Amino acid sequence: MFTVEKIKMGLPLRITFNDTDHVYQINTSPITPTTSELEILLNGEKIILQKDARRVWVQKGEGPVIDPEFAQALGRSVALRFRM
């Protein structure tokens, strides 16, 4: 089984959204069930996702603006991988 550090450091992850493949890396460590903010390197650019009061992942801060549904899909993908 991979640890958070192994996945974070060496393994780019993939997600397909609207028939387009994207590569991302997780720059948040450690990830626990209570983690509510994620720093992700998406296609080489840093974005920050935050879980809001409704428990929906939304983009926060600066960086390239992504579709809100894509932000939710990314957050859900990480949450499923790490059983958040």
Side-chain angles (χ1 to χ4, degrees):
M1 182 170 198
F2 291 105
T3 65
V4 172
E5 290 301 317
K6 284 183 182 177
I7 290 175
K8 176 187 160 198
M9 293 305 234
L11 197 60
L13 305 170
R14 296 174 56 112
I15 187 170
T16 302
F17 182 77
N18 286 344
D19 297 324
T20 304
D21 290 332
H22 301 275
V23 177
Y24 70 97
Q25 288 182 298
I26 304 164
N27 290 335
T28 301
S29 180
I31 295 177
T32 67
T34 60
T35 300
S36 63
E37 186 170 297
L38 299 170
E39 182 179 306
I40 294 178
L41 193 62
L42 175 67
N43 298 326
E45 300 199 52
K46 183 175 99 172
I47 63 166
I48 296 175
L49 300 178
Q50 185 174 42
K51 196 182 296 185
D52 67 10
R54 299 172 299 152
R55 301 187 51 80
V56 173
W57 290 99
V58 294
Q59 186 175 2
K60 173 187 164 193
E62 299 177 13
V65 176
I66 62 173
D67 183 317
E69 290 180 13
F70 185 36
Q72 174 66 10
L74 274 170
R76 186 173 293 161
S77 174
V78 173
L80 289 171
R81 288 178 191 273
F82 293 100
R83 299 181 185 191
M84 294 173 61

